[in-house]
């Protein structure tokens, strides 16, 4: 006999969401949940009054749905709710059904009764249901520190039962905070920077600069793979691939050696800004962390940024390398990032790069270059690829 049907109730955490904002936010979250559940046999994602509900079928793989929901940006927590007949035998059987795939030694049942005409009081329901599950599973009651809590709601129409809430990843639904262009290098840091921005609800578009034929094409493959991993939460992801060799060659022949990396960076920033305008992105994102390498001293960050016309966001600026590595492992990008590749910025780089180049020093070093012509001709070689995530 089937006593109940079940569905997930999704909760989000951001406070201060009102009126139109809330509708926009919930629509995005519901849409993203549907995208994340693609390929599973869930029944429906629905926005109800003040919550989002994921309906499942009788034989839906519940664990798979749980695993996917855990990774959807914007979910604070969620629970699997069993709806059942408003009848104590059905409620007891449903509680037992719910207990079956859980490991616990002690439990507590808490009951809320909206329907005051129900023949049992709330404490009576708790005691009946708890007693039954304890007897069938050989567990014990613990009123203070139970391994597992059961929540029973007796409403006017039905009864509802669920156990402890499952933790979501937090953050905001992707797409509610606008769009950013992430400078993705193939290294460890930039994919983590991208992830942090995606978690705050920014849709990420990616840009990568490569120096083929001076380097091989390994960085391209890595970046595509990294973008694919990130698209688990970013969904459909655009990657702009920029051939940078010719421009670098010009910098190498025309400008003073110690400033090379910084001048590469300035040119990358200029090109990225143009791409950001095309892609409708409002800011650039890098994986820079303060003083991690010579090009990331405060003075050098400032000298690069001096030519920027849109904000450059650096979500990892205050992270230690070990913290970034731990995050990269957690989000699944570390393994790809640590495969060998040659970054375009390590090409033709002097042994002793400038660690404190001023804005005016870089301006002067660049004065010999026809910057807009260089940017224009590089823009012509850009290719765009679109990647998406698949669980298969
Ligand atoms: P990462 O681990 O992300 O490569 P890093 O510690 O190697 O960073 P840098 O090489 O100084 O640091 O690069 C700093 C940032 O500049 C990178 O995090 C990335 O955002 C951007 N960047 C560097 N190289 C490229 C590239 N080839 N294409 C796009 N962005 C790049
Ligand atoms: Mg790098």
């Amino acid at each position: 006999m089937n006593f109940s049907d079940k569905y997930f109730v999704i909760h989000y955490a951001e406070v201060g969401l009102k009126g139109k904002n809330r509708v926009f936010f919930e629509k995005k979250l519901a849409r993203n949940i549907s995208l994340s559940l693609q390929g599973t046999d869930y029944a429906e994602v629905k926005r109800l009054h003040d919550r989002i509900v994921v309906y499942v079928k009788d034989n839906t793989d519940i664990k798979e749905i749980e695993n996917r929901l855990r990774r959807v940006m914007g979910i604070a927590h969620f629970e699997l709710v069993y709806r059942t007949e408003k009848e104590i035998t059905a409620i007891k059987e449903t509680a037992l059904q719910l207990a079956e795939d859980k490991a616990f030694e002690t439990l507590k049942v808490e009951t809320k009764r909206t329907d005051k005409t129900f023949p049992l009081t709330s404490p009576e329901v708790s005691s009946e249901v708890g007693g039954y599950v304890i007897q069938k599973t050989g567990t014990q009651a613990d009123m203070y520190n139970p391994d597992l809590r059961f929540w029973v709601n007796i409403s006017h129409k039905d009864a509802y039962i669920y156990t402890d809430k499952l933790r979501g990843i937090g953050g905001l639904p992707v797409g509610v905070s606008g769009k950013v262009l992430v400078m993705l290098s193939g290294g460890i840091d930039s994919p983590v920077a991208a992830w942090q921005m995606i978690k705050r609800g920014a849709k990420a578009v990616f840009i990568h600069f490569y120096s083929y034929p001076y380097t091989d094409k390994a960085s391209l493959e890595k970046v595509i793979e990294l973008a694919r991993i990130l698209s688990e939460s970013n969904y459909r992801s655009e990657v702009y691939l920029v051939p940078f060799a010719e421009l670098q060659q010009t910098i190498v022949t025309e400008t003073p050696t110690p400033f090379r990396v910084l001048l590469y960076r300035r040119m990358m920033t200029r090109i990225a800004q143009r791409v950001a305008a095309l892609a409708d992105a409002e800011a650039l994102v890098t994986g820079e962390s303060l003083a991690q390498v010579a090009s990331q001293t405060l003075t050098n960050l400032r000298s690069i940024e001096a030519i920027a016309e849109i904000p450059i966001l650096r979500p990892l600026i205050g992270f230690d390398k070990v913290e970034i590595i731990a995050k990269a492992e957690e989000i699944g990008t570390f393994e790809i990032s640590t495969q060998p590749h040659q970054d375009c910025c390590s090409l033709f780089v002097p042994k002793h790069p400038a660690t404190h180049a001023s804005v005016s020093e870089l301006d002067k070093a660049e004065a010999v270059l026809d910057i807009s012509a260089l940017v224009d001709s590089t823009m012509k070689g850009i290719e765009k690829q679109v990647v998406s995530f698949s669980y298969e």
Side-chain angles (χ1 to χ4, degrees):
M1 183 161 26
N2 192 8
F3 286 95
S4 60
D5 58 347
K6 47 188 186 286
Y7 53 85
F8 287 93
V9 176
I10 313 289
H11 304 269
Y12 49 82
E14 293 296 313
V15 287
L17 276 178
K18 296 197 199 90
K20 271 194 206 143
N21 259 352
R22 174 182 293 274
V23 173
F24 172 64
F25 184 102
E26 284 184 352
K27 279 188 175 162
K28 269 278 189 256
L29 184 54
R31 166 100 185 115
N32 291 351
I33 290 171
S34 313
L35 290 172
S36 285
L37 294 180
Q38 259 175 25
T40 69
D41 61 349
Y42 77 99
E44 195 184 3
V45 177
K46 207 163 176 180
R47 284 191 310 122
L48 295 182
H49 178 53
D50 59 345
R51 52 175 66 180
I52 293 169
V53 171
V54 178
Y55 293 104
V56 295
K57 300 178 188 158
D58 271 352
N59 44 7
T60 295
D61 180 349
I62 293 295
K63 279 279 167 267
E64 179 65 19
I65 306 279
E66 267 180 35
N67 288 339
R68 303 237 187 144
L69 290 177
R70 272 182 214 284
R71 300 175 75 91
V72 177
M73 307 293 191
I75 297 183
H77 55 262
F78 59 102
E79 66 240 353
L80 180 59
V81 175
Y82 284 66
R83 181 161 62 98
T84 188
E85 272 168 63
K86 218 167 71 179
E87 198 276 306
I88 191 67
T89 318
I91 297 172
K92 280 155 63 173
E93 283 306 330
T94 303
L96 185 61
Q97 200 181 323
L98 227 159
E100 258 158 18
D101 65 338
K102 304 251 178 341
F104 64 101
E105 276 164 23
T106 55
L107 67 84
K108 177 177 182 181
V109 181
E110 307 213 16
T111 305
K112 255 201 336 210
R113 218 175 43 140
T114 328
D115 176 9
K116 303 292 180 197
T117 67
F118 192 71
L120 302 175
T121 65
S122 296
E124 282 167 355
V125 172
S126 296
S127 139
E128 284 258 346
V129 172
Y132 185 68
V133 175
I134 285 168
Q135 179 211 335
K136 292 284 184 187
T137 55
T139 51
Q140 287 182 341
D142 183 340
M143 293 301 116
Y144 302 102
N145 191 21
D147 297 337
L148 190 64
R149 271 174 217 267
F150 290 76
W151 309 84
V152 179
N153 283 358
I154 313 271
S155 79
H156 287 285
K157 200 155 153 259
D158 299 297
Y160 301 87
I161 311 180
Y162 56 94
T163 56
D164 297 307
K165 297 176 191 337
L166 302 163
R167 265 178 92 87
I169 206 157
L172 296 170
V174 175
V176 299
S177 314
K179 210 189 254 183
V180 294
L181 181 65
V182 180
M183 303 182 62
L184 203 56
S185 66
I188 296 169
D189 305 334
S190 40
V192 176
W195 191 88
Q196 296 290 353
M197 294 304 300
I198 296 167
K199 186 167 177 229
R200 288 305 300 165
K203 176 82 178 179
V205 176
F206 301 99
I207 187 168
H208 173 66
F209 296 81
Y210 64 95
S211 301
Y212 182 80
Y214 300 128
T215 62
D216 61 20
K217 288 193 167 168
S219 75
L220 291 173
E221 284 156 27
K222 286 181 67 175
V223 161
I224 294 295
E225 184 55 17
L226 289 167
R228 200 189 62 75
I229 294 171
L230 290 164
S231 68
E232 180 183 7
S233 39
N234 192 54
Y235 309 110
R236 180 185 183 275
S237 302
E238 296 178 348
V239 189
Y240 290 85
L241 302 167
V242 188
F244 202 46
E246 220 171 287
L247 203 161
Q248 282 185 287
Q249 192 58 57
T250 309
I251 290 176
V252 167
T253 50
E254 308 276 330
T255 68
T257 318
F259 297 141
R260 272 178 198 168
V261 177
L262 302 175
L263 296 180
Y264 294 164
R265 277 293 146 72
R266 275 191 165 196
M267 290 311 261
M268 284 167 125
T269 306
R270 291 188 176 102
I271 292 161
Q273 276 176 178
R274 292 272 289 268
V275 171
L278 289 176
D280 230 3
E282 294 186 274
L284 305 181
V285 174
T286 76
E288 287 158 323
S289 143
L290 188 60
Q292 196 191 78
V293 291
S295 60
Q296 298 173 20
T297 63
L298 209 46
T299 313
N300 283 348
L301 290 177
R302 178 183 173 205
S303 304
I304 299 166
E305 185 149 349
I307 55 88
E309 286 155 13
I310 60 174
I312 301 180
L313 306 178
R314 303 180 175 91
L316 308 185
I317 198 72
F319 280 48
D320 292 343
K321 193 76 188 189
V322 286
E323 293 169 320
I324 299 173
I325 289 173
K327 199 76 206 170
E329 282 174 334
E330 189 189 316
I331 66 177
T333 53
F334 184 76
E335 204 185 314
I336 304 294
S337 289
T338 45
Q339 285 167 14
H341 81 281
Q342 230 189 333
D343 186 62
C344 67
C345 288
S346 58
L347 208 62
F348 319 122
V349 166
K351 265 217 183 72
H352 301 291
T355 50
H356 293 87
S358 68
V359 177
S360 61
E361 278 176 305
L362 293 192
D363 287 347
K364 209 167 132 211
E366 270 179 352
V368 294
L369 304 175
D370 184 346
I371 290 172
S372 71
L374 288 170
V375 170
D376 284 346
S377 78
T378 308
M379 290 294 296
K380 291 198 183 101
I382 295 183
E383 281 173 59
K384 184 169 98 175
Q385 283 199 25
V386 176
V387 297
S388 52
F389 189 81
S390 145
Y391 282 90
E392 271 76 63

